[in-house]
């Protein structure tokens, strides 16, 4: 009888622990999304030099401009956050300065 109670309690605590982990990860992803900001991408001129092979792991990085902590679903991390990319007109992925000519072509979200 006591074994069943401990088993139920163990299962309940495990489910609560997993739910807390999921909430923390989700909160980290929500902090990285700037819904009203449109980041810039260079279109591959310099991004091709950066390795693009990524593994499945939660990775963290800091923005090169504001030092904001960013969370990514794989090991392929960006150099800038979306808001700094929009403010400085630099590529979110590799950090390259975007010219006005490229801005009209590559202004993507």
């Amino acid at each position: 009888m006591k074994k069943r109670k401990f088993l139920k309690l163990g299962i309940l605590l495990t489910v609560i622990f997993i739910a807390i982990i999921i909430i923390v990860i989700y909160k980290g992803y929500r902090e990285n999304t700037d819904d009203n900001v449109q980041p810039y991408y260079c279109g591959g001129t310099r991004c091709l030099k950066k390795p693009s092979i990524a593994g499945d792991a939660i990775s963290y990085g800091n923005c090169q401009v504001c030092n904001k902590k960013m969370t990514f679903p794989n090991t392929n991390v960006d150099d800038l956050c979306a808001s700094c990319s929009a403010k400085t007109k630099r590529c979110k992925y590799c950090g390259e300065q975007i010219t006005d000519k490229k801005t009209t072509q590559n202004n993507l979200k």
Side-chain angles (χ1 to χ4, degrees):
M1 188 77 160
K2 290 183 180 181
K3 289 182 182 180
R4 286 188 181 179
K5 287 184 180 179
F6 284 119
L7 181 62
K8 288 180 182 179
L9 181 63
I11 291 173
L12 179 65
L13 290 175
T14 304
V15 168
I16 290 172
F17 181 71
I18 291 171
I20 290 171
I21 290 174
I22 290 172
I23 290 169
V24 168
I25 291 172
Y26 177 74
K27 184 180 175 191
Y29 286 131
R30 290 296 301 159
E31 288 175 358
N32 287 341
T33 58
D34 296 325
D35 295 332
N36 298 328
V37 177
Q38 194 169 9
Y40 292 94
Y41 297 93
C42 69
T45 54
R46 208 169 124 207
C47 290
L48 296 175
K49 295 178 185 175
K50 195 172 180 182
S52 62
I53 298 173
D56 289 333
I58 296 175
S59 301
Y60 303 97
N62 291 341
C63 175
Q64 290 181 352
V65 176
C66 68
N67 207 25
K68 175 183 172 183
K69 185 176 180 182
M70 302 180 292
T71 308
F72 300 94
N74 55 39
T75 57
N76 197 7
V77 298
D78 296 341
D79 284 351
L80 302 175
C81 65
S83 59
C84 288
S85 172
K87 289 176 190 173
T88 61
K89 290 188 179 179
R90 292 173 56 193
C91 177
K92 182 179 188 305
Y93 181 66
C94 71
E96 181 183 1
Q97 187 70 39
I98 308 249
T99 61
D100 289 334
K101 182 179 178 183
K102 283 185 182 179
T103 300
T104 57
Q105 296 171 354
N106 299 315
N107 194 354
L108 308 172
K109 186 163 187 171

